[in-house]
Amino acid sequence: MSSLTIIHPTNSPQPTQTGKQQQIGRIHSIETCGTVDGPGIRFVIFTQGCPLRCLYCHNPDSRNPQAGREITVDELIAEIAKYRSYMHFSGGGITISGGEPLMQPEFVREICRRCQEIGIHTAIDTSGCASLKTVQLVGEYVDLFLLDIKSFNPKTYFKLTNVSLSPTIKIARYLHQIQKPVWIRYVLVPNLTDNLAEIQELAQFIATLSNIEKVQVLPFHKMGEYKWQQLDYDYQLKDTPTPTAAQLAAVIDIFRDYGIPVN
């Protein structure tokens, strides 16, 4: 299996005209009223750059850490502040997704710190493909982690992502150790991540973690397939069907059998 390589795009503090240092990051896009990436209405920031090569990725254009556009934390906070009322009345906040947000830890940490400073709930949607040191740096200002465990079988995980499962499991255990709230996300892909024995092993592991608030089982979809075609990437799942209602129900039942809240 390949070794983990974390590449940091341009995100060093840059001086302003007044001499004040401010953090600059690189993002792919923004969604102002997200409803699926954490509780309530979310302002979702999709960062640029990802070390994974997931076969079902719906944002392959977010892989390159040098693509996207640069933005300062000040600019983002000014934009986020416009939606505070939506967040407040819906119990929402911001979610930083990707790409992989932990590829730009200083930038992400500063966004979360500034949001908490003005009373905005913070969440990070991550694959866990990062070092514990990175999570410790950022986690202080994160209220909720959305941790994607794409498979509990190391071979299946590597086939799906081209990276090792090990960092993700280490981070899951660390977040349990510090009792940080976590939602586990699991994408159900027929003929790839639908092995019920492997899913049962994942449920057994999650049941040992007392900080897991729930598991979200997400059905595979092909909404990002056109991006693969535009980028001239080899989309290997073009003949893979979406899971049936019965397949979803069977997976949800496994987690429920272990007393894990799931939807």
Side-chain angles (χ1 to χ4, degrees), residues 1 82 109 141 184 225:
M1 295 183 181
K82 298 175 184 176
R109 171 188 165 93
Y141 298 108
I184 299 291
E225 183 175 0

Side-chain angles (χ1 to χ4, degrees), residues 5 12 40 96 144 154-155 163 169 208 210:
T5 302
S12 299
I96 306 179
L144 172 68
K155 291 183 179 179
V163 299
I169 298 306
T208 67
S210 58

